[in-house]
Every structure is written in C-alpha cells, then in structure tokens.
Amino acid sequence: MPELPEVETIVRVLEQRVVRDRVESVWIGSRPQPLKSPAAAIARTLEGKRIVDVHRTGKYIVFELGPSGHAERKRSSKTGKGTAQWVVHLGMTGRIVICSPGAELAKHTHLIARLASGRELRFVDPRMFGRVSVHAGGFDPGGVEPLEISERSFVELFRGRKTPIKSALLNQKLVRGVGNIYADESLFRAGIRPRRRAAAVTRQEFGSLYRSVRAVLREAIKLGGSSVSDYVDADGEEGLFQMRHRVYAREGEPCLVCGTAIRRVVLAGRSSHFCPKCQK
DNA sequence: ATACCGACCTGTCAGC
DNA sequence: TGCTGACAGGTCGGTA
C-alpha cells in the first residue's frame, strides 16, 4: 500500500505523537515473517529507549532511539540521531496504529510497543510483506530521495539503461520511494509510455519526468497519500490523492486530457496504466 | 547487466 | 451459498 507519500504522511503523524516518548516494553507475535532482525534483538533494542526522532527514508519508517538517561538524552535530541534505529517497512498492507492499551487487538498484529505515555504503537500487517528490523548506528537502504536530488543527477541515474523506464522508476536502488501508483501517474504527466527503454527517453523528456515525479509526490503528500483500498495513516485517517489519479486503476475509462480509453498492461508483473494517445 | 517469473502471504471481489 | 481465479500499494532470488 504505502509509497513515499503514504509513508511520509504516517511519519508526520508519528512525529507529533511519539517523539520524546519512551518504550517501556515490547510484545512480539509468533509469526517470524515480519521480523528481519531476531525478536530478542528487537525487544532488547527498543525496551527502555526514548524515541528521539522519527523520519522517512524511501518507503522505510525510521525511529531514532536514544538512551533514557538525562545527559544522553540531551545529546541525542540535539543531533536528532539516536544510538540505534528501529526500522519499519510496511510492505503492501502494513499499518502503524497508535492506540490505547484497551483497544481491540486487530488480527495480524505482529508487534506492540507500550509507551511511557500509556499509549501503544502497534504494527499490523495481514499479508506480512512488511518488515521490522533494528540497526545500530545508521540505516541506508541505497538510492536517492527524489525530492532532494537535482535534475542533473536524476537524469544521470537513468541514462543509457536498457530497462523499461517504469521498471527503472520502481528500482529502489536508483530512486527510492516511487511505487506502482506514482510511477504510472508520473509517466502519464510526462507523456512517456511505461515500456519505453530508459535509453530511448530524450533529455527533454527526462526533465519533464523529473518535474512530474516531484509534482505528483508533493501533491500526494499534501493530500495525505492515496487510499485505494485500505491505506490509513497512524491516526486512521484516509488519504485523498486517489481522487487525483489520472491513469492508475482507470483501465477503460476516458483519458482526462484526450478522452482515449486508458489501457492496462502488465510490466514486470505489475499493472501499468497509460493513455495510448498522450503517452509516446 | 537485464528481464521476466514465481515466491512470499491474506483478503476481497467478480463470475459461475 | 460457496467455489475458483484474478488481483492488490512491495521486494527478493533464481534463471535464461
């Protein structure tokens, strides 16, 4: 479910709700699939630690954890860097829920962090494609942030690649955070078909794609992401950007620009939507 | 390198 | 009502 705008929306809520709070104890469910680090390591790393910062990198949520001691806390809160990181990837159906301890336990709850404030952070994920891990001293998934990179560096990333441009956009080792929805929406705005080889995209089209990717992501963040079937943020609020989708999940419907029926093809195993007239 | 495919999982919906 | 198959925001590993 969550691509960059959805994860960014969730992180903004978490910043408001849990920064400066402390993890008192952790409960971890019995399913091993969502755990990328051993359960014991996750529990040991979280328990007793203060959450000094929450941020997003690509589609990952990163909780910066600091010691709970007073002097250490002062130092950590100054740098915004913790001594350890709790990292959550939501996969397709993962959710972070902030709730009270009495709230009903959702099916597929895999981890609960009980906070000193009396609330709980719960990680819920029916399909179990999401992953939870802990790291000491830095977490870097590779790739660059599309909203932080220059146009020149963006073009450099893709130049000469023989892979379809959409596959390149989805490759998190290049640009991180763009998923299936925003790849389709960006390519539509840039007028480029998903199957075009990156090497066959002109410099001018790359400029257009760079601006489209950033505009789409920024607009989506402003609207709280896209709620296609079940995405909600950490407060349970739905996003609104699905109202602005121009091609995603609109197969057979008229293109909003020219009226031609939107087509759907499968590329690298993913549904890909485009307007055969507007996109070359 | 690259591209295609299945695997990993559960839930939902359409069609019969 | 219930079965079957297709499909779903993501990523990884194998194979040609």
Side-chain angles (χ1 to χ4, degrees):
Chain A
M1 53 154 80
E3 304 180 32
L4 186 155
E6 289 76 34
V7 178
E8 179 67 26
T9 302
I10 291 165
V11 161
R12 288 182 183 183
V13 172
L14 291 172
E15 271 178 337
Q16 300 295 312
R17 300 279 187 278
V18 303
V19 167
R20 310 171 94 112
D21 213 330
R22 195 168 54 83
V23 180
E24 297 220 302
S25 62
V26 172
W27 172 89
I28 295 173
S30 57
R31 310 300 299 266
Q33 291 92 332
L35 309 181
K36 211 170 158 186
S37 304
I42 295 172
R44 190 186 336 120
T45 304
L46 266 64
E47 281 175 352
K49 299 283 176 41
R50 197 164 293 272
I51 299 170
V52 298
D53 188 36
V54 187
H55 54 96
R56 175 193 63 73
T57 175
K59 298 174 190 169
Y60 293 87
I61 301 168
V62 182
F63 295 85
E64 295 285 344
L65 304 174
S68 52
H70 183 65
E72 294 281 358
R73 186 159 79 238
K74 257 185 142 171
R75 197 185 317 147
S76 296
S77 60
K78 214 174 270 177
T79 60
K81 290 280 168 221
T83 54
Q85 290 78 37
W86 170 28
V87 175
V88 178
H89 191 294
L90 298 170
M92 294 272 258
T93 52
R95 288 169 56 186
I96 296 268
V97 181
I98 302 169
C99 61
S100 66
E104 194 176 339
L105 194 69
K107 198 175 173 185
H108 308 298
T109 298
H110 304 296
L111 184 149
I112 300 175
R114 303 185 187 91
L115 304 176
S117 62
R119 291 166 307 171
E120 293 184 349
L121 271 185
R122 297 182 184 177
F123 173 61
V124 182
D125 185 10
R127 280 178 81 182
M128 294 190 282
F129 287 171
R131 295 290 181 264
V132 172
S133 59
V134 288
H135 305 260
F139 168 73
D140 178 15
V144 296
E145 287 291 327
L147 293 177
E148 290 170 13
I149 192 180
S150 70
E151 178 174 333
R152 242 185 59 195
S153 324
F154 180 88
V155 176
E156 253 341 277
L157 287 175
F158 299 106
R159 209 164 61 178
R161 291 182 180 266
K162 293 176 189 140
T163 189
I165 185 65
K166 178 172 174 186
S167 301
L169 277 176
L170 291 177
N171 182 348
Q172 303 295 299
K173 295 296 174 204
L174 300 175
V175 159
R176 61 190 186 214
V178 177
N180 207 33
I181 294 178
Y182 299 106
D184 280 4
E185 293 297 319
S186 302
L187 287 166
F188 172 75
R189 293 197 191 190
I192 304 168
R193 289 199 189 195
R195 273 200 211 281
R196 278 266 293 285
R197 311 277 131 181
V201 173
T202 67
R203 177 63 180 77
Q204 194 171 14
E205 286 173 322
F206 268 125
S208 173
L209 181 59
Y210 170 77
R211 289 185 293 278
S212 299
V213 166
R214 291 160 66 95
V216 162
L217 294 176
R218 287 211 178 98
E219 284 173 39
I221 290 170
K222 205 174 284 177
L223 291 179
S226 302
S227 290
V228 171
S229 69
D230 56 7
Y231 161 77
V232 289
D233 72 19
D235 276 342
E237 296 290 327
E238 292 190 353
L240 293 171
F241 191 72
Q242 66 279 9
M243 322 271 299
R244 304 279 184 90
H245 292 175
R246 298 183 192 171
V247 287
Y248 183 79
R250 294 194 65 244
E251 182 186 14
E253 292 175 43
C255 169
L256 300 175
V257 172
C258 74
T260 306
I262 298 301
R263 283 184 52 198
R264 171 181 169 276
V265 296
V266 174
L267 201 172
R270 318 295 306 279
S271 279
S272 301
H273 314 79
F274 66 97
C275 170
K277 191 168 170 201
C278 295
Q279 291 172 260
K280 310 289 177 197

